[in-house]
Amino acid sequence: MNICVIGTGYVGLVTGTCFAELGNKVVCVDIDKSKINSLKKGKVTIYEPGLKELVKRNLRQKRLLFTTSIKAGMKNAQIIFIAVGTPPKPSGEADLTYVENVCCQIANNMTSYKLIVEKSTVPIETGEWVEQIIKQNLKRKVSFDVASNPEFLSEGSAIDDFMHPDRIVIGVETKKAKGLLAELYRPLRAPIIVTNIKSAEIIKHASNSFLATKISFINAISNICEKTGADVIEVARGMGMDKRIGKAFLNAGAGFGGFCFPKDLLAFVHICEKLGYDFGLLREVDRINTEQKAVIIGKIKQNLQDLDKKVVGVLGLSFKPNTDDIRYAPAIDIIRILQSEGAKIKAYDPKAMKRAKKELKGIQFCKSPYAAAEKSDCLILITEWNEFKELDFTRIKKLLNKPFIMDCRNIYDPKKMKRLGFKYIGIGRNK
Ligand code: UDX
């Protein structure tokens, strides 16, 4: 099939590239000229495991093209995916300006039937709104359909998630739209859930909000564990073995970050408010997530007494491992609070330092975890990259001013750390 994907962020680029890998002819469009020029040469500006290789291969085989022109991109496409950003407004509401601009351009350039698919996370009823905008801006009488096909890709494993999804959600209003999307996804042999557009939009919001709720729930439980002498890892294991609960997303830690959960959660609260429903549960999920950073700072302070002029080594800056994405990363918030209290930061991350350098000032970026530990008064692990799991702790102990480790992701064994002579603090652990 001929496909056009508008927006080459994490979602758009992975989606477009994977559709090309499945044998479709895909044109990816973005207004950012320098990004498109890089992509044309096979240079991928984001770090996502396996993506660069896939982009190069599909470019070589001419199944993947890049352009800045929506007109050129959509010319031969039967299906157009909208995967542009929907950043939050100060109120938390999603800003749909980019979606609106794209819809106007699609309408202006439509000369034959197109299926226009919302891929970005958008408020409920955006489907209707997209249809209205396109209708109002059409230059000639052509038929079109709108559909919602939310993405559930996780950064760091996005290609695998695309190729092996748990389910594919297709929100459609016509048989033609359903047929086109079902045909496009057929090679994946995954369960396809066909709904109307509004249900598909809510499935996306409800899924992300539910997962965020699980994380805040276990973080709240971790605080109770600390107060009682229980261990949150054991508690999560005991809960997760119940099939009705499931073990995923029960890792207590520094809280959720990234460009989806924090913003989508508040956007959903906002949508519900507009619909006359106060989703207080989700506001609490957000509050617990914010508070989790204060809990971590409190633990560091308790152990270092005062933060002023203390040197803090930080391991991990991205919001999760296997990505260079630092948007809404807990590490960024934690570092800013530490700095505001006078601490000096030495940080290391395998992939995210380039992006972090643009965001954070007054930090010493280090070449290795050991360099971050050197002459630091404590070492905080904030993102659980694999390379942090097996460090030489005898060396780290010698490098640190004080043998104090704050493990915000519970990746180390408390007993082993104590045996090695560290003051070790995890999240919700008492061993
Ligand atoms: C998420 C959704 O999983 C995906 O379906 C959606 O399309 C986009 O948003 P992503 O943001 O890439 O994906 O990452 P995810 O793996 O879901 O993690 C989100 C955050 O939650 C990370 O900061 C992670 O560290 C945190 N998290 C996750 C926990 O703190 N504990 C857990 O048990 C799981």
Side-chain angles (χ1 to χ4, degrees):
M1 272 187 193
N2 284 313
I3 295 162
C4 172
V5 179
I6 305 177
T8 59
Y10 282 92
V11 174
L13 188 57
V14 171
T15 305
T17 306
C18 288
F19 277 136
E21 180 69 11
L22 292 178
N24 299 289
K25 188 140 194 192
V26 181
V27 186
C28 289
V29 184
D30 203 293
I31 43 169
D32 184 336
K33 274 189 195 146
S34 72
K35 198 173 183 185
I36 289 297
N37 284 336
S38 298
L39 286 167
K40 278 181 179 170
K41 291 178 207 145
K43 285 191 194 145
V44 178
T45 45
I46 51 176
Y47 174 72
E48 179 63 40
L51 182 60
K52 195 167 76 183
E53 294 72 17
L54 231 57
V55 168
K56 281 190 173 159
R57 181 161 69 229
N58 285 284
L59 267 174
R60 255 197 325 270
Q61 296 178 356
K62 302 205 169 12
R63 287 193 299 260
L64 185 60
L65 299 171
F66 293 98
T67 174
T68 52
S69 156
I70 289 185
K71 186 179 179 185
M74 65 183 270
K75 192 168 171 246
N76 298 316
Q78 291 151 282
I79 309 179
I80 304 172
F81 284 91
I82 303 180
V84 294
T86 50
K89 290 183 187 174
S91 62
E93 187 183 3
D95 183 347
L96 297 180
T97 314
Y98 298 126
V99 178
E100 187 172 2
N101 288 343
V102 164
C103 290
C104 290
Q105 287 196 59
I106 291 174
N108 287 336
N109 293 294
M110 206 142 81
T111 51
S112 58
Y113 172 87
K114 307 281 176 201
L115 169 60
I116 297 130
V117 186
E118 314 164 347
K119 199 72 180 155
S120 316
T121 302
V122 289
I124 307 144
E125 292 168 353
T126 301
E128 276 177 8
W129 175 79
V130 164
E131 193 178 334
Q132 285 311 317
I133 294 182
I134 295 181
K135 262 193 192 140
Q136 284 159 11
N137 289 280
L138 277 177
K139 294 274 178 262
R140 59 189 84 184
K141 211 169 170 284
V142 269
S143 68
F144 70 95
D145 279 312
V146 173
S148 165
N149 169 222
E151 59 81 19
F152 300 102
L153 310 175
S154 287
E155 289 180 28
S157 57
I159 290 169
D160 197 52
D161 292 344
F162 184 97
M163 295 297 181
H164 308 283
D166 290 343
R167 79 313 200 179
I168 290 158
V169 175
I170 292 178
V172 284
E173 305 295 335
T174 67
K175 267 195 178 157
K176 188 165 183 177
K178 176 184 162 188
L180 278 169
L181 284 172
E183 175 61 17
L184 180 64
Y185 280 110
R186 196 179 38 82
L188 294 181
R189 296 169 188 226
I192 296 184
I193 313 289
V194 183
T195 67
N196 66 19
I197 293 181
K198 283 179 188 157
S199 297
E201 289 168 343
I202 295 192
I203 289 172
K204 170 70 186 183
H205 278 295
S207 302
N208 273 4
S209 304
F210 189 77
L211 291 170
T213 303
K214 270 187 111 176
I215 299 169
S216 278
F217 187 87
I218 201 67
N219 282 336
I221 294 289
S222 77
N223 294 323
I224 304 302
C225 288
E226 282 175 17
K227 289 187 196 299
T228 56
D231 184 304
V232 75
I233 293 196
E234 290 173 358
V235 172
R237 195 181 300 136
M239 288 169 64
M241 284 172 80
D242 184 327
K243 283 199 201 76
R244 294 168 303 174
I245 297 174
K247 63 181 182 350
F249 280 70
L250 284 182
N251 296 317
F256 54 80
F259 203 54
C260 287
F261 284 177
K263 112 179 142 60
D264 291 356
L265 189 73
L266 293 180
F268 195 34
V269 170
H270 201 274
I271 293 163
C272 296
E273 226 165 67
K274 269 192 168 167
L275 294 168
Y277 181 72
D278 176 17
F279 213 146
L281 173 66
L282 297 186
R283 275 193 278 109
E284 192 57 14
V285 167
D286 177 59
R287 190 195 62 76
I288 294 171
N289 196 51
T290 305
E291 194 182 72
Q292 194 63 3
K293 287 149 213 161
V295 168
I296 289 167
I297 300 285
K299 290 175 185 210
I300 302 170
K301 265 178 152 170
Q302 205 182 8
N303 283 278
L304 292 181
Q305 271 82 46
D306 174 15
L307 284 172
D308 196 32
K309 300 203 174 52
K310 294 280 168 32
V311 183
V312 178
V314 172
L315 300 186
L317 298 167
S318 54
F319 82 96
K320 62 187 264 192
N322 296 323
T323 176
D324 59 350
D325 195 347
I326 55 162
R327 292 175 297 177
Y328 297 91
I332 305 297
D333 289 338
I334 292 172
I335 287 174
R336 286 207 171 112
I337 303 173
L338 291 169
Q339 283 183 314
S340 72
E341 303 224 6
K344 303 269 166 264
I345 309 292
K346 294 177 80 176
Y348 169 77
D349 186 284
K351 293 283 176 201
M353 290 203 285
K354 200 170 153 200
R355 286 183 194 270
K357 277 177 191 164
K358 292 185 193 147
E359 193 72 22
L360 293 165
K361 298 292 161 225
I363 292 205
Q364 188 181 336
F365 288 97
C366 301
K367 288 208 164 76
S368 72
Y370 302 100
E374 196 173 5
K375 296 199 173 68
S376 288
D377 296 304
C378 82
L379 193 61
I380 325 177
L381 177 129
I382 310 187
T383 317
E384 68 279 30
W385 284 88
N386 271 340
E387 71 168 78
F388 300 149
K389 290 184 178 158
E390 294 296 334
L391 295 174
D392 177 351
F393 282 104
T394 313
R395 186 174 162 201
I396 291 213
K397 192 169 165 230
K398 283 189 195 139
L399 289 167
L400 281 168
N401 281 343
K402 295 187 182 99
F404 169 31
I405 291 191
M406 166 88 232
D407 175 4
C408 300
R409 298 288 176 180
N410 288 342
I411 64 169
Y412 302 124
D413 175 1
K415 281 191 189 142
K416 185 180 160 200
M417 299 311 274
K418 279 178 191 158
R419 237 185 0 256
L420 285 166
F422 284 99
K423 167 99 197 164
Y424 170 86
I425 312 274
I427 304 285
R429 315 205 71 186
N430 284 285
K431 283 180 180 158

Coordinates of all heavy atoms in Angstrom, one line a residue, residues 3-29 51 54-55 58 63-66 81 83 119 153 162-163 184-185:
I3 N 1.5 4.8 1.6 CA 1.1 5.4 2.9 C 1.9 6.7 3.1 O 3.0 6.8 2.7 CB 1.5 4.5 4.1 CG1 0.7 3.2 4.0 CG2 1.3 5.1 5.4 CD1 1.2 2.1 4.8
C4 N 1.3 7.6 3.8 CA 2.0 8.9 4.1 C 1.9 9.0 5.6 O 0.8 8.8 6.2 CB 1.3 10.0 3.4 SG 1.9 11.7 4.0
V5 N 3.0 9.3 6.3 CA 3.0 9.5 7.7 C 3.5 11.0 8.0 O 4.6 11.3 7.6 CB 3.9 8.5 8.5 CG1 3.9 8.8 10.0 CG2 3.5 7.1 8.2
I6 N 2.6 11.7 8.6 CA 3.0 13.1 8.8 C 3.5 13.3 10.3 O 2.7 13.0 11.2 CB 1.8 14.1 8.5 CG1 1.3 13.8 7.1 CG2 2.2 15.6 8.7 CD1 0.1 14.6 6.7
G7 N 4.7 13.8 10.4 CA 5.3 13.9 11.8 C 6.4 12.8 11.9 O 6.0 11.6 11.8
T8 N 7.6 13.2 12.1 CA 8.7 12.1 12.2 C 9.3 12.1 13.6 O 10.5 12.0 13.8 CB 9.8 12.3 11.1 OG1 10.4 13.6 11.3 CG2 9.3 12.2 9.7
G9 N 8.4 12.3 14.6 CA 8.9 12.1 16.0 C 9.0 10.6 16.3 O 9.1 9.8 15.3
Y10 N 9.1 10.2 17.5 CA 9.3 8.8 17.9 C 8.2 8.0 17.3 O 8.4 7.0 16.6 CB 9.2 8.6 19.4 CG 10.5 9.0 20.1 CD1 10.7 10.3 20.6 CD2 11.5 8.1 20.3 CE1 11.9 10.6 21.3 CE2 12.6 8.4 21.0 CZ 12.8 9.7 21.4 OH 14.0 10.0 22.1
V11 N 6.9 8.4 17.4 CA 5.8 7.6 16.9 C 5.8 7.6 15.4 O 5.7 6.5 14.8 CB 4.5 8.2 17.4 CG1 3.3 7.5 16.8 CG2 4.4 8.2 18.9
G12 N 5.8 8.7 14.7 CA 5.8 8.8 13.3 C 6.9 8.1 12.6 O 6.7 7.3 11.7
L13 N 8.1 8.3 13.1 CA 9.2 7.7 12.4 C 9.2 6.1 12.6 O 9.5 5.4 11.6 CB 10.6 8.3 13.0 CG 11.8 7.8 12.2 CD1 11.7 8.2 10.7 CD2 13.1 8.4 12.8
V14 N 8.9 5.7 13.8 CA 8.9 4.2 14.0 C 7.7 3.6 13.2 O 7.9 2.6 12.5 CB 8.7 3.9 15.5 CG1 8.4 2.4 15.7 CG2 9.9 4.3 16.3
T15 N 6.6 4.3 13.2 CA 5.4 3.7 12.5 C 5.7 3.7 11.0 O 5.5 2.6 10.3 CB 4.2 4.6 12.7 OG1 4.0 4.7 14.1 CG2 2.9 4.1 12.1
G16 N 6.2 4.8 10.4 CA 6.5 4.9 9.0 C 7.5 3.8 8.6 O 7.3 3.1 7.6
T17 N 8.6 3.7 9.4 CA 9.7 2.8 9.0 C 9.2 1.4 9.1 O 9.5 0.5 8.2 CB 10.9 3.0 10.0 OG1 11.2 4.4 9.9 CG2 12.1 2.2 9.6
C18 N 8.4 1.1 10.1 CA 7.9 -0.3 10.3 C 6.9 -0.7 9.1 O 7.0 -1.8 8.6 CB 7.3 -0.5 11.6 SG 8.6 -0.6 12.9
F19 N 6.1 0.3 8.8 CA 5.2 0.0 7.6 C 6.0 -0.3 6.4 O 5.7 -1.2 5.6 CB 4.2 1.1 7.4 CG 3.0 1.1 8.3 CD1 2.5 2.2 8.9 CD2 2.3 -0.1 8.5 CE1 1.4 2.2 9.7 CE2 1.2 -0.1 9.3 CZ 0.7 1.0 10.0
A20 N 7.1 0.4 6.2 CA 8.0 0.2 5.0 C 8.6 -1.2 5.1 O 8.6 -1.9 4.1 CB 9.0 1.3 4.9
E21 N 9.0 -1.5 6.3 CA 9.6 -2.8 6.5 C 8.7 -4.0 6.2 O 9.1 -5.0 5.7 CB 10.1 -2.9 8.0 CG 10.7 -4.2 8.4 CD 12.1 -4.5 7.8 OE1 12.7 -3.5 7.2 OE2 12.6 -5.6 7.9
L22 N 7.4 -3.7 6.3 CA 6.4 -4.7 6.0 C 6.1 -4.8 4.5 O 5.2 -5.5 4.0 CB 5.1 -4.4 6.8 CG 5.1 -4.6 8.3 CD1 3.8 -4.3 8.9 CD2 5.5 -6.1 8.7
G23 N 6.8 -3.9 3.7 CA 6.6 -4.0 2.3 C 5.8 -2.8 1.7 O 5.6 -2.8 0.5
N24 N 5.3 -1.9 2.5 CA 4.6 -0.8 1.9 C 5.5 0.3 1.4 O 6.6 0.4 1.8 CB 3.7 -0.2 3.0 CG 2.7 -1.2 3.6 OD1 1.7 -1.6 2.9 ND2 2.9 -1.7 4.8
K25 N 4.9 1.2 0.6 CA 5.7 2.3 0.1 C 5.3 3.5 1.0 O 4.1 3.9 1.0 CB 5.4 2.6 -1.3 CG 6.3 3.6 -1.9 CD 6.7 3.3 -3.3 CE 7.9 4.2 -3.7 NZ 8.2 4.2 -5.0
V26 N 6.2 4.0 1.8 CA 5.9 5.0 2.8 C 6.6 6.3 2.5 O 7.8 6.3 2.3 CB 6.3 4.5 4.2 CG1 5.9 5.5 5.3 CG2 5.6 3.2 4.5
V27 N 5.9 7.4 2.6 CA 6.5 8.7 2.6 C 6.3 9.4 3.9 O 5.2 9.5 4.4 CB 5.9 9.7 1.5 CG1 6.8 11.0 1.4 CG2 5.9 9.0 0.1
C28 N 7.4 9.7 4.6 CA 7.3 10.4 5.9 C 7.5 11.9 5.7 O 8.4 12.3 5.0 CB 8.4 9.9 6.9 SG 8.1 8.2 7.4
V29 N 6.7 12.7 6.3 CA 6.7 14.2 6.1 C 7.0 14.9 7.5 O 6.4 14.5 8.5 CB 5.3 14.7 5.6 CG1 5.4 16.2 5.3 CG2 4.9 13.9 4.4
L51 N 16.3 1.1 15.1 CA 15.6 2.0 14.2 C 16.5 2.5 13.0 O 16.1 2.5 11.9 CB 15.0 3.3 14.9 CG 14.2 4.3 14.1 CD1 13.0 3.6 13.5 CD2 13.8 5.4 15.0
L54 N 16.9 -0.1 10.4 CA 15.7 -0.2 9.6 C 15.4 0.9 8.6 O 15.0 0.7 7.5 CB 14.5 -0.3 10.6 CG 13.5 -1.5 10.4 CD1 14.3 -2.8 10.5 CD2 12.5 -1.4 11.5
V55 N 15.7 2.1 9.1 CA 15.6 3.3 8.2 C 16.5 3.1 7.0 O 16.1 3.3 5.8 CB 15.9 4.6 9.0 CG1 16.0 5.8 8.0 CG2 14.8 4.9 10.0
N58 N 15.4 0.4 4.5 CA 14.2 0.8 3.7 C 14.4 1.9 2.8 O 13.8 2.0 1.7 CB 13.0 0.9 4.6 CG 12.5 -0.4 5.1 OD1 11.8 -1.1 4.4 ND2 12.8 -0.8 6.4
R63 N 11.6 1.9 -0.3 CA 10.2 1.8 0.2 C 10.0 3.0 1.2 O 8.8 3.2 1.6 CB 10.1 0.5 1.0 CG 10.0 -0.7 0.1 CD 9.5 -1.9 0.8 NE 10.4 -2.2 1.9 CZ 11.3 -3.2 1.9 NH1 11.4 -3.9 0.8 NH2 12.1 -3.4 2.9
L64 N 11.0 3.7 1.6 CA 10.9 4.8 2.6 C 11.4 6.1 2.0 O 12.6 6.1 1.6 CB 11.6 4.4 3.9 CG 11.5 5.3 5.1 CD1 10.0 5.4 5.5 CD2 12.3 4.7 6.2
L65 N 10.6 7.1 2.0 CA 11.0 8.4 1.4 C 10.7 9.5 2.5 O 9.8 9.3 3.3 CB 10.3 8.7 0.1 CG 10.4 7.8 -1.0 CD1 9.5 8.1 -2.2 CD2 11.9 7.8 -1.6
F66 N 11.5 10.5 2.4 CA 11.3 11.6 3.3 C 11.1 13.0 2.5 O 11.8 13.2 1.5 CB 12.5 11.8 4.3 CG 12.6 10.6 5.2 CD1 13.5 9.6 4.9 CD2 11.8 10.5 6.3 CE1 13.6 8.5 5.8 CE2 11.9 9.4 7.2 CZ 12.8 8.4 6.9
F81 N -1.4 9.0 7.9 CA -1.3 9.0 9.3 C -0.9 10.3 9.9 O 0.1 10.9 9.4 CB -0.3 7.9 9.8 CG -0.8 6.5 9.7 CD1 -0.6 5.8 8.6 CD2 -1.6 5.9 10.7 CE1 -1.0 4.5 8.5 CE2 -2.0 4.6 10.6 CZ -1.8 3.9 9.5
A83 N 0.8 12.0 12.8 CA 1.6 11.6 14.0 C 2.4 12.9 14.5 O 3.5 12.7 14.9 CB 2.5 10.5 13.7
K119 N -3.0 9.2 14.7 CA -2.1 8.3 15.4 C -1.6 9.0 16.7 O -1.4 8.4 17.7 CB -0.9 8.1 14.5 CG -0.1 6.9 14.8 CD -0.8 5.6 14.5 CE 0.0 4.4 14.8 NZ -0.8 3.2 15.1
L153 N 3.2 2.1 21.4 CA 4.6 1.8 21.3 C 5.3 2.4 22.6 O 5.1 3.5 23.0 CB 5.3 2.5 20.1 CG 4.7 2.2 18.8 CD1 5.4 3.1 17.7 CD2 4.7 0.8 18.4
F162 N 5.9 -2.6 17.8 CA 5.1 -2.4 16.5 C 4.9 -3.8 15.8 O 3.8 -4.1 15.4 CB 5.9 -1.5 15.6 CG 5.1 -1.2 14.3 CD1 4.3 -0.1 14.2 CD2 5.1 -2.1 13.2 CE1 3.5 0.2 13.0 CE2 4.3 -1.9 12.1 CZ 3.6 -0.7 12.0
M163 N 6.0 -4.5 15.8 CA 5.9 -5.8 15.0 C 5.2 -6.9 15.8 O 4.6 -7.8 15.2 CB 7.4 -6.3 14.7 CG 8.1 -5.4 13.8 SD 7.3 -5.3 12.2 CE 8.4 -4.2 11.3
L184 N -3.9 -3.3 6.0 CA -2.5 -2.8 6.3 C -1.9 -3.6 7.4 O -0.7 -3.8 7.4 CB -2.7 -1.3 6.6 CG -1.4 -0.6 7.0 CD1 -0.4 -0.5 5.8 CD2 -1.7 0.8 7.5
Y185 N -2.6 -3.9 8.4 CA -2.1 -4.5 9.6 C -2.1 -6.1 9.5 O -1.5 -6.7 10.4 CB -2.9 -4.1 10.9 CG -2.4 -2.7 11.4 CD1 -3.2 -1.6 11.3 CD2 -1.2 -2.6 12.0 CE1 -2.8 -0.4 11.8 CE2 -0.7 -1.4 12.5 CZ -1.6 -0.3 12.4 OH -1.1 0.9 12.9

